């Protein structure tokens, strides 16, 4: 048994308490007849959830505000689960448990701009190839513009029963423009669609990371420029080794970050190939133009093999690998600064603006941002490992396992961007304690290797000079003094080769001056390095 319900636009507006800006209902009256089971508790709700209702209202209502209101209200009114776009052969809908477990819209909606970008290019190509009409293409493009505006404005209703970002946008497009939207998926599968979206997203991610790397490099170079001439202990095995200029140490991180950038640029080259048109795995017999869509999306070219196009995620693995190496570099920088900020070192002081305190110990000032940089590196490495394990046992071509590739890549990119940003912020807000560093320099006999070089310049074999300097250091330990404090007589008691000019090689200042090899810590060499980076990074003054 059924009941017949009649609805007009005026009646709907009254029942829903809609109030549009112009305060006047359109003169056009939309009428709809619905046959609703007598058991239906809310026939108006069924009317509002019907796609034709939304399409008719969009034809009548013209402003973005009005249309956004319709989208919200009609979507919210949907009380029944709609049929899947792929559900033609299925007689039963999936259970709530399966639907909840298999949905990806909760995270892959981050791809919406790239999904719409790909759909625009695909629709234009289909029209040019005569696979859809120009009018259908125009309707599709206008509908996609409207959906993008709604998403940007936070007014788009993402639905779990529509599974993923692709189906949400396609279903919403069908609600808006009707039959034309159903032609958009011609010669396209979600398999090639998601690969296209992900490559576009990763390409943008690389560009964002490169920008943050450059920002950190500039911050480190500026920090080096502010500390010209400051000598610090250089360490190996966390034991004092040789004196180095602080500028030289900071520029070491700039060099490492530059290789990180090179890896990303190299990765971007391989990301930038277009899977669209590969369809599910075998391509299509329809006369599509993959070169057109590839060019429209800014790709280098279409991918040559349709199976490869939809099945491999090596481009994501490469991006996460590059991120992991960057994260390790940032972690090492963070570790060094945590050590140097400790009371035991006291080499640097972070400003209050990049420090935190203790909830119980009022005297504490902790370099928490770079501690977290050190900690978050584990997340970035973990994201890479997750994806490596995900891909290791997959046969060709697409497998649903690959749905799990997005959360690790989203997390990796978000985390590395944050790590780079806070590292640059920390670099701008620290002060090196010159007096503390200078007072700490004498410990450890940092000029010992320079003294060995002195003997080599006198014609002695390095292994012999190494032994003599070792005995000289032992004499200093016994006498509780530095090498430069040993008298010439005491030095000559170890080797007659020592002469008055030996004291030009002793002491950290003299030691640093003696480094002249390309890339060394000598003042002239470091100045060359600094000038190189100032020019390359475009730093003014």
């Amino acid at each position: 048994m059924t009941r017949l319900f009649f609805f007009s636009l005026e009646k709907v507006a009254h029942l829903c308490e809609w109030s549009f800006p112009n305060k006047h209902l359109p003169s056009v009256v939309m009428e709809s007849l619905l046959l609703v089971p007598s058991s239906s508790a809310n026939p108006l709700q069924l009317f509002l959830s019907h796609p034709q209702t939304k399409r008719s209202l969009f034809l009548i209502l013209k402003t973005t505000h009005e249309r956004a209101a319709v989208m919200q209200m009609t979507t919210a009114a949907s009380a029944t689960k709609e049929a899947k776009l792929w559900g033609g052969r299925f007689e039963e809908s999936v259970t709530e448990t399966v639907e909840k477990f298999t949905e990806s819209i909760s995270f892959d909606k981050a791809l919406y701009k790239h999904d719409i970008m790909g759909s625009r290019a695909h629709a234009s190509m289909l029209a040019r190839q005569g696979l859809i009409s120009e009018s259908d293409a125009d309707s599709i493009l206008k509908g996609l513009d409207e959906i993008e505006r709604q998403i940007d404005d936070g007014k788009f209703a993402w639905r779990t029963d529509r599974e993923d970002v692709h189906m949400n946008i396609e279903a919403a497009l069908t609600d808006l423009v009707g039959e034309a939207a159903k032609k958009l998926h011609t010669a396209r599968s979600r398999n090639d669609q998601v690969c296209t979206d992900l490559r576009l997203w990763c390409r943008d991610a690389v560009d964002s990371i490169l920008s943050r790397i450059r920002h950190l490099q500039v911050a480190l170079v500026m920090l080096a420029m502010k500390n010209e001439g400051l000598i610090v202990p250089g360490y190996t095995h966390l034991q004092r080794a040789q004196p180095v200029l602080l500028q030289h140490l900071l520029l070491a991180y700039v060099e490492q970050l530059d290789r990180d950038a090179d890896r990303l640029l190299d990765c971007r080259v391989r990301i930038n190939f277009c899977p669209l048109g590969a369809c599910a795995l075998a391509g299509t017999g329809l006369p599509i133009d993959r070169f057109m869509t590839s060019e429209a999306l800014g790709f280098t070219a279409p991918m040559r093999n349709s199976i490869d196009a939809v099945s491999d995620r090596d481009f994501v693995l490469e991006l996460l690998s590059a991120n992991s190496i960057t994260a390790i570099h940032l972690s090492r920088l963070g570790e060094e600064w945590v050590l140097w900020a400790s009371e035991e070192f006291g080499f640097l002081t972070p400003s209050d603006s990049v420090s935190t305190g203790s909830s119980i110990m009022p005297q504490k000032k902790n370099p928490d941002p770079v501690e977290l940089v050190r900690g978050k590196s584990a997340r970035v490495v973990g994201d890479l490992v997750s994806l490596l394990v995900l891909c290791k046992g997959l046969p060709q071509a697409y497998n649903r396992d690959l749905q799990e590739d997005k959360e690790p890549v989203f997390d990796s990119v978000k985390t590395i961007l944050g790590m780079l940003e806070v590292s640059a912020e920390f670099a701008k807000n620290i002060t090196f304690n010159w007096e503390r560093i200078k007072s700490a320099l004498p410990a450890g006999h940092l000029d010992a290797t320079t003294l060995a070089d002195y003997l080599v310049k006198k014609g002695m074999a390095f292994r012999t000079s190494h032994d003599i300097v070792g005995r000289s250091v032992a004499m200093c330990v016994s006498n509780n003094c530095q090498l430069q404090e040993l008298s010439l007589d005491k030095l000559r008691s170890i080797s007659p080769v020592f002469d008055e000019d030996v004291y030009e090689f002793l002491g950290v200042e003299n030691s640093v001056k003696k480094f002249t090899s390309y890339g060394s810590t000598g003042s002239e060499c470091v100045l060359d390095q600094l000038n190189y980076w100032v020019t390359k990074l475009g730093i003014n003054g």
Side-chain angles (χ1 to χ4, degrees), residues 419-469:
M419 292 169 68
L420 287 163
E421 186 173 20
V422 82
S423 296
E425 191 75 9
F426 200 83
K428 295 175 185 177
N429 289 279
I430 58 176
T431 303
F432 287 95
N433 304 324
W434 283 57
E435 293 305 316
R436 177 70 175 264
I437 293 169
K438 284 182 178 180
S439 66
L441 276 174
H445 310 288
L446 298 174
D447 49 357
T449 305
T450 309
L451 182 58
D453 290 344
Y454 165 82
L455 294 171
V456 169
K457 288 182 177 181
K458 293 288 186 179
M460 187 179 291
F462 179 77
R463 284 300 174 199
T464 305
S465 71
H466 186 285
D467 179 68
I468 290 171
V469 173

Side-chain angles (χ1 to χ4, degrees), residues 110-128:
L111 298 172
Y112 80 90
K113 279 192 175 295
H114 305 91
D115 195 73
I116 290 172
M117 189 188 310
S119 291
R120 287 191 182 112
H122 191 65
S124 298
M125 180 275 294
L126 292 176
R128 198 180 78 169

Side-chain angles (χ1 to χ4, degrees), residues 521-539:
T521 197
S523 300
E524 292 300 319
C525 299
V526 171
L527 181 59
D528 287 344
Q529 294 175 46
L530 197 56
N531 288 337
Y532 170 83
W533 286 112
V534 167
T535 301
K536 181 171 182 177
L537 298 173
I539 299 172

Side-chain angles (χ1 to χ4, degrees), residues 278-312:
C279 300
L281 80 161
T284 178
L286 296 171
I288 63 172
D289 185 347
R290 293 188 62 208
F291 288 89
M292 177 184 172
T293 49
S294 175
E295 183 178 357
L297 293 170
F299 286 112
T300 303
M303 296 187 72
R304 283 189 298 268
N305 185 292
S306 61
I307 296 176
D308 175 52
V310 300
S311 65
D312 206 343

Side-chain angles (χ1 to χ4, degrees), residues 400 415 464:
R400 190 66 179 269
T415 305
T464 305

Side-chain angles (χ1 to χ4, degrees), residues 480-507:
N480 192 27
C481 67
Q482 301 301 314
L483 283 168
Q484 62 185 340
E485 296 171 340
L486 290 175
S487 67
L488 185 57
D489 288 341
K490 287 185 177 180
L491 287 170
R492 282 178 170 169
S493 70
I494 300 172
S495 172
V497 177
F498 287 117
D499 208 340
E500 287 286 352
D501 60 350
V502 70
Y503 294 104
E504 297 175 11
F505 288 76
L506 296 176

Side-chain angles (χ1 to χ4, degrees), residues 317-344:
L317 288 169
E318 189 172 0
L319 172 57
L320 267 57
S321 176
N323 284 351
S324 296
I325 297 172
T326 303
I328 296 304
H329 285 151
L330 297 177
S331 181
R332 294 184 67 188
L333 175 62
E335 167 68 4
E336 191 146 67
W337 284 354
V338 167
L339 284 173
W340 282 25
S342 68
E343 199 66 42
E344 285 70 22

